[in-house]
Amino acid sequence: MDNTTASLSLMLKQLKLATMVKEWDALGNKAVKEQWSPQQYLSELCHIELANREDKRLQRLLKDAKLPAGKNLGNFDFKRVDGISKHQVIDLVNQPGWLKLGANVLLFGASGLGKTHIASGIGYGLIEQGYKVKFIAASAIVQQLQQAKQHLRLQDELLKLDKYNLLIVDDVGYVRKTEQETSVLFELIAHRYERHSMIITSNKSFEQWDELFDDSTMTIAAIDRLVHHATILHCEGESYRRKMAMSNGS
């Protein structure tokens, strides 16, 4: 290795161009063989560096999101569920302007109809566009916020969630009706209102949300905030999971 080669590798490292450090020599040999212009060689080298950085960024977003593995829109059979328009769901991914408005998506339906799969699929699609997404069970986020409130850190915990463009709160219908739990759930909804988006899945319709909140005034206030800027989807029909299981078994 001559001085020029050694110093080039060192400078690339100092510039934190890790992919260029690995690729510049082999790509340079290819450029000489194929008689590339200096501009073409540099352009290709930059392209490889940027592509690698984007891939790593995507992997970080996916790891942080903790979405259910394999639940993307590409493998969801919309024909097996009534009341849901594939076009409408795909538009939520392809036209993500609703995130900038802090709008919400509310998915209702009985257990097994694919609400979690659809919510997760939207999350995967938005991550591919660079948005920050977090998936969490309603019972888990309530417990997390409840503990923060006990330690007088509720506001700090809510602010931490602000880094996510989209918060997916799954199975809100399973939250136990206690004053401590429902109050922090309301705090979460109120905090993100018109600021950051949420997808909420629930096996309980709004008419049943009195079973979630201990106070009817809080129930009405929570629903008002959620639906003000919302796409509401109702999954209907026979259990999607049961249909898939029968299909795979046949």
Side-chain angles (χ1 to χ4, degrees):
M1 183 181 290
D2 58 33
N3 289 337
T4 301
T5 300
S7 62
L8 179 56
S9 293
L10 181 60
M11 287 187 290
L12 290 173
K13 286 181 181 178
Q14 290 177 329
L15 289 168
K16 298 182 179 179
L17 299 170
T19 305
M20 283 191 180
V21 173
K22 295 177 183 177
E23 302 291 341
W24 74 268
D25 192 23
L27 192 66
N29 292 332
K30 181 180 180 181
V32 170
K33 185 182 294 185
E34 298 182 7
Q35 298 183 322
W36 291 0
S37 68
Q39 293 88 343
Q40 184 180 356
Y41 167 64
L42 182 59
S43 176
E44 185 63 23
L45 198 58
C46 290
H47 174 76
I48 292 172
E49 176 71 37
L50 290 171
N52 186 262
R53 288 189 179 192
E54 182 59 27
D55 184 61
K56 287 182 176 178
R57 180 173 181 270
L58 178 60
Q59 293 307 314
R60 286 195 300 271
L61 289 174
L62 285 170
K63 183 178 179 180
D64 188 34
K66 298 189 183 303
L67 291 164
K71 291 186 182 294
N72 54 65
L73 296 180
N75 59 23
F76 185 82
D77 190 351
F78 285 88
K79 295 178 182 177
R80 295 181 181 271
V81 179
D82 299 324
I84 295 292
S85 162
K86 180 179 180 179
H87 177 75
Q88 187 177 24
V89 173
I90 297 297
D91 274 354
L92 290 170
V93 174
N94 294 339
Q95 300 177 26
W98 56 282
L99 292 175
K100 296 178 182 178
L101 301 174
N104 303 310
V105 176
L106 310 175
L107 276 159
F108 294 101
S111 178
L113 286 175
K115 301 184 300 297
T116 298
H117 195 143
I118 293 171
S120 174
I122 294 171
Y124 275 114
L126 292 172
I127 284 175
E128 288 178 358
Q129 298 180 60
Y131 291 99
K132 292 183 178 180
V133 175
K134 186 71 169 181
F135 180 98
I136 191 165
S139 56
I141 187 67
V142 161
Q143 185 178 30
Q144 178 181 322
L145 295 177
Q146 201 173 343
Q147 290 175 351
K149 187 174 184 178
Q150 289 171 356
H151 292 90
L152 305 179
R153 293 187 295 101
L154 178 58
Q155 193 62 25
D156 291 339
E157 201 67 27
L158 291 171
L159 288 171
K160 283 181 184 178
L161 295 171
D162 282 354
K163 73 176 183 177
Y164 298 107
N165 304 105
L166 176 65
L167 184 64
I168 302 175
V169 180
D170 193 40
D171 281 335
V172 78
Y174 291 106
V175 173
R176 293 195 305 274
K177 183 177 179 178
T178 67
E179 183 180 351
Q180 292 82 5
E181 290 200 358
T182 55
S183 66
V184 295
L185 180 58
F186 176 78
E187 291 277 2
L188 174 65
I189 293 169
H191 178 80
R192 292 184 73 86
Y193 175 59
E194 293 192 321
R195 298 174 64 247
H196 304 291
S197 296
M198 301 174 72
I199 293 181
I200 289 181
T201 75
S202 176
N203 62 349
K204 289 184 169 67
S205 64
F206 282 141
E207 290 78 10
Q208 298 171 294
W209 275 33
D210 270 333
E211 299 174 19
L212 303 181
F213 294 94
D214 195 50
D215 180 274
S216 60
T217 303
M218 189 182 293
T219 305
I220 294 169
I223 293 173
D224 281 349
R225 285 166 171 77
L226 287 174
V227 303
H228 187 200
H229 307 287
T231 298
I232 301 176
L233 304 174
H234 292 272
C235 298
E236 300 169 356
E238 188 182 342
S239 170
Y240 178 83
R241 282 198 293 264
R242 189 180 303 118
K243 285 183 179 180
M244 290 300 292
M246 292 175 65
S247 175
N248 291 336
S250 61

